[in-house]
Amino acid sequence: MPYHQFKVSECLPERLHHAVDKGAGEDLTDALPLGYLNTIPGTISERGCAYCGAKHVIGTPMKDVIHLSHGPVGCTYDTWQTKRYISDDGNFQLKYTFASDMKEAHVVFGAEKMLKKNIAEAFKAFPNINSMTLYQTCASALIGDDINAIAEEIMEEMPGKKVFVCNSPGFAGPSQSGGHHKINLAWLNQMVGTAEPEIWSKYVINYIGEYNIQGDQEIMRDYFYRMGIQILATFTGNGRFDDLRCLHKAQLNVLECARSAEYICDELRVRYGIPRMDIDGFGFEATADSLRKIGYFFGIEDKAEQIIAEEYARWKPELDWYAARLQGVKMCLWPGGSKLWHWAHMLKTEMGINVVSVYTKFGHQGDMEKGVSRCEPGTLAIDDPNELESVEAMYELEPDLIMTGKRPGEVAKKIRVPYLNVHGYHNGPYKGFEGWVRLAKDIYNCVYSPAHSLVHLDISKDEIPTDRGFATRQ
Ligand code: CFM
């Protein structure tokens, strides 16, 4: 039986099926954790909510837009900034965040009037900004405020202003993934096809599922431009609201994060006949293969080869320097969704790192299949982890570092496991050839930093708490 017995699963037997040791190469169908189910009551999940998935992951990287949440201020504040989705024109989307600021009285008496007033006020405060994304939250959805109607009224009363409505309150799915799905389809239904692009190239793509974390999109955009390819719009990193209305006119959808954005690609194929090509910009080989694939599609593979040769010449020696020093480093690779399968094998083949555990907070079964199949035998795979399992796994596996997000990362720091943030990054971008070297450098600095040897572990393995809320459930 490949299931991994955590202390949590002694109290919550259902958790047993969510952690699996890959073993020595048994049939993989037995070695996959269950994926993308509702979180089991009694365990505190690390997942985000469907509002966060819609707003923080996909909506807010759009750069020339007022992002306004209809709800209490905490929803907006906690989905702001930390992902570092920068833009190339002044970072309006990072400098400001907007909330209607619902209070108790609004829950009782309704908040539509206040919302309308606040939308108008926001547009007046920033007269150069003509577009808005408006997000439903749990509080406003539960009392039934009709944000679509308010958006319509505003667009009538303020000509030239556009409001996109995203109806994805926090409870609209088991995790942030539910919000990805909702905003994908909402954008397609409300906005795509409402503007026409200027075409200047024979090769025209949409770049989908790329959020410009610390400049990832700009690295990849540079390669596409050097191949003579026009990007109509990027969904959504560094993306412009009006450009994203033109997605229907591309010849090809180039899809990076399939977990968060395959929905819009698949619908663009159905409705507009645009083919979907999945690519991968993390790692030298993966990036090179991706540029080649796109090159073949348009018959410009010579241009792809030229860029690959130039970039290898420029960056490969640096990667090799780090790789020589990272051989055998043990890592827990604990991202949210697709990075587990984008990264697991590239870290091994290009840096010599042993990924001893993968987890995904909200990945679907297919993400686990792809991730686990790319891992070495013996890897521990965990679906929808919780803090106790994470701590136990770190003690058992003794990794040299973990790559994860800020919440589990802070826990790791407390037990002196070096942590690298792979959601907002440390010194990104991490995409493309240059980005992969930057990641190698961050891993090197993380692992070789003397800071961790200056402190001693003050919690031993036997002291892992098991009684925080779990004891009540038998
Ligand atoms: Fe896609 Fe992402 Fe990810 Fe994701 Fe995310 Fe992210 Fe992530 Mo954090 S869209 S699934 S919901 S690659 S925010 S940029 S790093 S969990 S692995």
Side-chain angles (χ1 to χ4, degrees), residues 304-343:
E305 292 301 344
Q306 192 186 336
I307 292 166
I308 295 163
E310 285 167 14
E311 296 292 320
Y312 263 75
R314 184 162 173 207
W315 296 108
K316 189 68 168 41
E318 265 196 66
L319 180 70
D320 290 344
W321 190 93
Y322 289 112
R325 287 151 182 84
L326 295 175
Q327 297 296 312
V329 161
K330 277 166 68 181
M331 174 191 288
C332 289
L333 176 58
W334 289 349
S338 66
K339 283 188 175 106
L340 96 107
W341 48 266
H342 277 295
W343 288 6

Side-chain angles (χ1 to χ4, degrees), residues 57 83 176 180 211 213 257 259-260 335-339 362 422-423:
V57 176
K83 264 192 67 199
Q176 52 262 67
H180 302 157
Y211 306 101
I213 310 299
C257 173
R259 178 65 285 119
S260 63
S338 66
K339 283 188 175 106
F362 56 82
V422 290
H423 297 249

Side-chain angles (χ1 to χ4, degrees), residues 51-66:
Y51 155 79
C52 177
K55 183 201 174 224
H56 198 29
V57 176
I58 296 186
T60 40
M62 279 187 250
K63 61 188 175 184
D64 54 346
V65 181
I66 291 171

